[in-house]
């Protein structure tokens, strides 16, 4: 029965066929709504307590959870997926994953796709969702806590600090899937008031920092590498553009560290914000109202 259905899907056809018109569900649902179909849930950075309430409730009702393998803390799977069949997506391509989830859903099972962190950040979620939608299976996203936020919490700082960092860049270094021209880490660091958060770059910390030095950036710029942010074996490595590469290599880490570059890492030399200053008492005419939304 399932073999015939498996032949029906071609994920690339689904990507190519994505409609240009905005999906009506954009206007019918918000991010917190439980919707029809397969939810793509962000598992958060690692600690099971940092899973959202929505994600926890969906996992509790699931019959099948397709998860991101070792990128999801096994403690989370044990605690919230005890009554579900769990399948790792590691080593499986779209041609295998899509029929697996589609067939289970069509057979009446409650299916959850569990991504690490937040599906919107380097999650490769949309290609799965588009392929499932192409097969007639509705999908939606349930946000999660991304590792940059867990790392900043561990560091007891903010990624944005008044007069220190007005912007945040989520990026990754050049490598197999990103060309040298697409690597903008040096551009972000060069802006000065940007906190640069590097995903998927633990293996290339030394090379990345060497390029920054070669580009003329201050070698004393603070850098932190937070390995397994919020996991039981979390480790914080602090240094500078000049020193962090050797420190990460000495620690032996090749994956799973969030690397943060910028003066906000230390949480120092910032200025009092307008939010709790003169503006809060109505004394400022500046358009700073957006800060109240942050």
């Amino acid at each position: 029965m399932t073999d015939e259905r498996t032949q029906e899907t071609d994920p690339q056809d689904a990507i190519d066929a994505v409609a240009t018109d905005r999906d009506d569900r954009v206007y019918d649902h918000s991010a917190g709504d439980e919707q029809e179909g397969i939810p793509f849930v962000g598992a958060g950075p690692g600690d099971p307590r940092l899973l959202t309430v929505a994600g926890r409730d969906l996992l509790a009702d699931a019959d099948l959870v397709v998860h991101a393998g070792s990128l999801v803390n096994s403690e989370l799977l044990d605690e919230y997926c005890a009554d579900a069949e769990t399948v790792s997506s590691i080593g499986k391509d779209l041609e295998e994953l899509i029929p697996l989830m589609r067939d289970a859903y069509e057979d009446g099972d409650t299916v959850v796709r569990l991504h690490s962190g937040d599906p919107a950040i380097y999650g490769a979620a949309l290609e799965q969702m588009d392929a499932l939608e192409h097969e007639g299976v509705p999908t939606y996203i349930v946000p999660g806590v991304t590792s940059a936020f867990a790392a900043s919490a561990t560091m007891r700082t903010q990624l944005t600090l008044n007069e220190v960092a007005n912007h945040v860049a989520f990026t990754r270094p050049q490598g197999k899937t990103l060309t040298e021209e697409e690597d903008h880490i040096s551009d972000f660091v060069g802006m000065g008031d940007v906190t640069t958060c590097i995903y998927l770059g633990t293996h290339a910390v030394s090379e990345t920092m060497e390029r920054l030095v070669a580009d003329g950036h201050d070698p004393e710029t603070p850098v932190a590498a937070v390995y397994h942010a919020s996991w039981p074996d979390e480790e914080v490595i602090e240094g500078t553009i000049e020193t962090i590469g050797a420190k990460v290599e000495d620690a032996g880490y090749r994956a799973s560290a969030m690397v943060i570059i910028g003066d906000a890492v230390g949480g120092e030399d910032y200025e009092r914000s307008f939010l709790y200053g003169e503006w809060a008492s109505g004394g400022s005419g500046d358009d700073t109202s957006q800060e109240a939304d942050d």
Side-chain angles (χ1 to χ4, degrees), residues 114-283:
L114 187 63
H115 274 252
S116 60
D118 184 294
I121 306 295
Y122 298 116
L126 194 58
E127 60 197 60
Q128 299 172 67
M129 296 172 67
D130 284 339
L132 285 166
E133 297 275 349
H134 192 67
E135 294 291 310
V137 178
T139 62
Y140 62 102
I141 292 175
V142 177
V145 178
T146 188
S147 58
F149 299 155
S152 68
T154 288
M155 297 295 297
R156 303 181 66 84
T157 188
Q158 295 179 198
L159 299 179
T160 59
L161 281 173
N162 195 33
E163 299 299 325
V164 174
N166 294 308
H167 315 279
V168 179
F170 289 170
T171 187
R172 62 182 300 181
Q174 59 189 259
K176 292 182 179 179
T177 58
L178 201 72
T179 67
E180 181 178 348
E181 291 73 23
E182 293 170 326
D183 182 336
H184 298 299
I185 293 174
S186 185
D187 298 328
F188 297 137
V189 174
M191 292 177 185
D193 63 343
V194 176
T195 301
T196 304
C197 302
I198 303 177
Y199 290 74
L200 306 170
T202 313
H203 65 287
V205 173
S206 290
E207 294 89 336
T208 300
M209 299 303 144
E210 287 170 2
R211 286 194 293 270
L212 292 177
V213 171
D215 288 345
H217 297 297
D218 183 357
E220 295 302 312
T221 301
V223 183
V226 183
Y227 172 76
H228 263 181
S230 84
W231 292 56
D233 60 346
E234 174 189 84
E235 183 174 350
V236 177
I237 303 173
E238 296 181 84
T240 63
I241 285 177
E242 186 174 42
T243 65
I244 196 68
K247 291 185 176 184
V248 171
E249 287 186 3
D250 288 345
Y253 298 131
R254 297 285 297 169
S256 302
M258 166 55 57
V259 179
I260 303 178
I261 307 172
D263 290 332
V265 166
E268 301 168 346
D269 299 326
Y270 65 91
E271 299 292 332
R272 178 174 175 173
S273 73
F274 294 111
L275 182 59
Y276 300 111
E278 188 176 338
W279 172 82
S281 60

Side-chain angles (χ1 to χ4, degrees), residues 72-95:
V72 174
N73 190 344
S74 60
E75 293 181 6
L76 185 150
L77 298 176
D78 292 341
E79 185 167 349
Y80 298 123
C81 305
D83 297 327
E85 177 187 358
T86 58
V87 176
S88 172
S89 63
I90 302 300
K92 295 179 175 60
D93 58 22
L94 288 180
E95 284 74 12

Side-chain angles (χ1 to χ4, degrees), residues 47-68:
D47 188 323
R49 294 180 64 244
L50 295 179
L51 177 70
T52 65
V53 173
R56 179 199 64 191
D57 292 347
L58 288 165
L59 290 175
D61 293 336
D63 299 308
L64 171 65
V65 176
V66 180
H67 63 87

